[in-house]
Amino acid sequence: MIVHMLRFTFKETATEEDRERVLAVMRRTAAVESVSFSTVGQNLGDPEGFTHASCVGIADMAALRRYMHDPVHLAGDPQIMPHLARIAVGPDLSDDMTPTLAEDTLALHEEKAALYPEWAAELGPLLAA
């Protein structure tokens, strides 16, 4: 199982309706076939100031690839990203002890960025340093 987490903060300009719509889109994405379990909502006690989080459990690398390229996921990101101020990817974790798993998951992200450069360009400035 690969557990993937995003922590994020909304822009100050995001209305309550924007926030609810973004969370609904994230929940829709977290409900696709490749996801085994998920939760989307408030982030509890984050010292870095991220107010919300999304966590998905994904069975294996094949399911992770399907999740990343799922049409629901691809359609949702452009509805989400304009309302976010910052995103932190992870910390992710897994019970799969493959030594290269971190590199393998990063390679999937890089593959997606190469396939969808507009997506990567919109995501880049949001990523927390």
Side-chain angles (χ1 to χ4, degrees):
M1 185 66 59
I2 299 166
V3 179
H4 175 59
M5 184 181 322
L6 295 177
R7 296 172 297 143
F8 57 96
T9 302
F10 287 100
K11 290 180 178 176
E12 289 184 21
T13 56
T15 65
E16 191 59 35
E17 293 82 22
D18 293 333
R19 293 168 190 244
E20 288 303 318
R21 192 169 36 256
V22 165
L23 294 175
V25 171
M26 288 183 148
R27 288 181 184 114
R28 184 181 69 214
T29 299
V32 299
E33 165 275 329
S34 55
V35 175
S36 298
F37 64 85
S38 67
T39 189
V40 176
Q42 67 175 317
N43 193 15
L44 304 175
D46 190 326
E48 296 178 55
F50 292 100
T51 57
H52 292 78
S54 171
C55 178
V56 293
I58 299 173
D60 54 28
M61 288 296 292
L64 181 59
R65 178 182 299 280
R66 290 193 314 276
Y67 171 74
M68 292 178 74
H69 297 281
D70 191 292
V72 171
H73 193 171
L74 296 174
D77 285 350
Q79 298 173 50
I80 294 167
M81 290 193 284
H83 301 288
L84 302 184
R86 295 187 313 142
I87 299 174
V89 178
D92 291 348
L93 61 116
S94 181
D95 60 358
D96 178 342
M97 299 307 290
T98 302
T100 60
L101 188 61
E103 292 85 6
D104 296 344
T105 59
L106 180 59
L108 282 181
H109 171 78
E110 291 171 348
E111 174 187 290
K112 183 175 179 178
L115 284 171
Y116 307 102
E118 300 84 13
W119 171 82
E122 191 170 359
L123 178 64
L126 298 175
L127 291 172

